[in-house]
Amino acid sequence: MSTEKINLDIHKILTLLPHRYPILLVDRVLELEPHKSIKALKNVSINEPYFQGHFPTRPVMPGVLILEALAQTAALLTFSEEPSDPSNTLYLFVGIDNARFKRVVEPGDQLMLHCTFERHMRGIWKFKARAEVDGVVAAEADLMCAVRHTDKDA
């Protein structure tokens, strides 16, 4: 098993994840150690569509989207272990435990997304996930995800 750390740019991310604007929430993978961990980046811009209504006078990134960014990061780690074709693969969020929000995320922040692989059992992948801004935890959770292959000819 290799301990080489890999990084991925947006072009590679687009080949691995089915998400597209406005729901693609990972801009770059800074470190990826297959079967172990991943560190990714989301640049939070004032141009994000959710800031129009959350909140107009004080824009704050919704916590559920921070969790989604962490789930997408976990998907990239999963796909480093189980390569897939995004056109016939669904990566499903199946559980969130111990979610905590500890810092507001605002436009201009760089969200660092950390996921550590915990275990894979009966088709469910489990991760410890943490989002930070400037080294301060913004959110953390235990995530459970499942990979389902679809038959696109059906």
Side-chain angles (χ1 to χ4, degrees), residues 9-154:
D9 65 15
I10 191 64
H11 306 290
K12 182 64 176 174
I13 291 168
L14 288 168
T15 68
L16 295 172
L17 294 179
H19 305 81
R20 295 297 179 264
Y21 176 84
I23 201 64
L24 180 62
L25 298 172
V26 178
D27 293 326
R28 177 175 292 276
V29 173
L30 304 172
E31 296 175 4
L32 187 155
E33 192 170 350
H35 313 290
K36 292 194 189 294
S37 64
I38 187 169
K39 178 181 175 184
L41 166 69
K42 165 66 178 150
N43 289 305
V44 182
S45 166
I46 189 63
N47 294 325
E48 308 284 349
Y50 49 81
F51 284 137
Q52 292 178 31
H54 198 267
F55 301 97
T57 60
R58 175 84 192 265
V60 174
M61 185 175 187
V64 69
L65 292 180
I66 297 170
L67 292 175
E68 174 63 25
L70 287 167
Q72 290 178 23
T73 301
L76 291 165
L77 179 56
T78 301
F79 294 150
S80 76
E81 300 183 37
E82 181 179 292
S84 70
D85 174 3
S87 68
N88 71 351
T89 304
L90 287 175
Y91 188 78
L92 304 169
F93 223 158
V94 297
I96 305 167
D97 290 326
N98 305 313
R100 298 288 181 267
F101 301 96
K102 301 184 174 222
R103 181 198 187 281
V104 170
V105 177
E106 302 174 295
D109 285 342
Q110 256 192 352
L111 200 55
M112 299 304 279
L113 307 161
H114 304 266
C115 288
T116 304
F117 171 72
E118 293 285 303
R119 71 177 177 267
H120 176 219
M121 192 167 57
R122 291 188 294 253
I124 303 294
W125 298 76
K126 188 160 186 179
F127 304 89
K128 286 261 184 225
R130 181 179 79 255
E132 298 178 351
V133 175
D134 297 328
V136 176
V137 175
E140 58 190 2
D142 298 328
L143 307 178
M144 288 164 283
C145 305
V147 177
R148 298 291 182 256
H149 301 283
T150 61
D151 182 2
K152 57 184 176 181
D153 296 327

